Amino acid sequence: MNTLIILAFIGFLLLRKTSQASPPLLNKPAPAPTIPLPLLDESTVFRINRYTGFINDVVNQLGIDPNLLRALIYVKSGGDERAQYISPDGEYGYGLTQITCGRARMMPQPAASTSIVDKIVNSADCPKLIKPENSIWYGAAYLRAVYQGDWVDALARYNSPSNMVILNADAFERARETLLIAEAFRGKV
């Protein structure tokens, strides 16, 4: 125990001496830890990049980073336009962005310039969300609608059941993963 106290005291003295000798070093920010970017599956990237033109049109209208939208597609469907799942609150998620019909119906209808996108106004229209253009449009519109100044928070809301008031840690972990994938997409288009 006494040895620990002596070592701590010596460390304190050395730190004090170092800080007196060169004060500017203490004011330097610590280097940010580097997080390795995930390796993207090239066949999935190829499938997603088939929609680059439409993704660019949508992100220009909605003000979203195109790589963020590509990453969302990568995580949610792996670029499989026929992907479907049942959400924890019992709704079906459709297509590339796995948008649910309930969320799609809440979104504003696409601009006239996006005439290839179908209007989703009632339950009978839900299967139309399997069409890539519809899934991309409504998924991006929903992501933009839940954005409140923080993309991690917006992605966590996107990944959470619609009836969740408090977001869970899993939703935030998937959001951070999506942002890393968005970064990995830079230069892959």
Side-chain angles (χ1 to χ4, degrees), residues 137-161:
W137 170 264
Y138 287 103
Y142 184 74
L143 180 62
R144 186 66 178 143
V146 296
Y147 175 72
Q148 298 172 354
D150 181 359
W151 286 113
V152 171
D153 182 66
L155 287 164
R157 290 180 189 289
Y158 192 101
N159 288 326
S160 296

Side-chain angles (χ1 to χ4, degrees), residues 70-144:
R70 284 184 190 88
L72 178 74
I73 293 167
Y74 188 96
V75 169
K76 297 304 259 180
S77 68
D80 180 2
E81 62 191 46
R82 295 175 311 274
Q84 291 186 38
Y85 87 113
I86 298 177
S87 71
D89 51 352
E91 273 205 279
Y92 282 89
Y94 294 93
L96 292 169
T97 62
Q98 295 295 287
I99 186 74
T100 61
C101 194
R103 289 177 176 180
R105 287 193 313 249
M106 293 186 303
M107 294 303 99
Q109 297 302 315
S113 63
T114 318
S115 60
I116 60 172
V117 176
D118 297 314
K119 294 184 181 340
I120 307 296
V121 292
N122 59 45
S123 299
D125 293 332
C126 294
K128 293 178 183 176
L129 288 169
I130 206 83
K131 182 178 165 187
E133 293 83 0
N134 293 338
S135 182
I136 291 169
W137 170 264
Y138 287 103
Y142 184 74
L143 180 62
R144 186 66 178 143

Side-chain angles (χ1 to χ4, degrees), residues 39-52 55 69-81 83 96 177 181 184-185 188-189:
L39 293 175
L40 301 178
D41 176 61
E42 292 300 321
S43 62
T44 304
V45 170
F46 177 78
R47 281 194 305 271
I48 294 168
N49 282 343
R50 291 183 305 177
Y51 305 106
T52 294
I55 288 171
L69 185 52
R70 284 184 190 88
L72 178 74
I73 293 167
Y74 188 96
V75 169
K76 297 304 259 180
S77 68
D80 180 2
E81 62 191 46
L96 292 169
E177 174 193 5
I181 291 171
F185 258 101
K188 294 271 184 190
V189 179

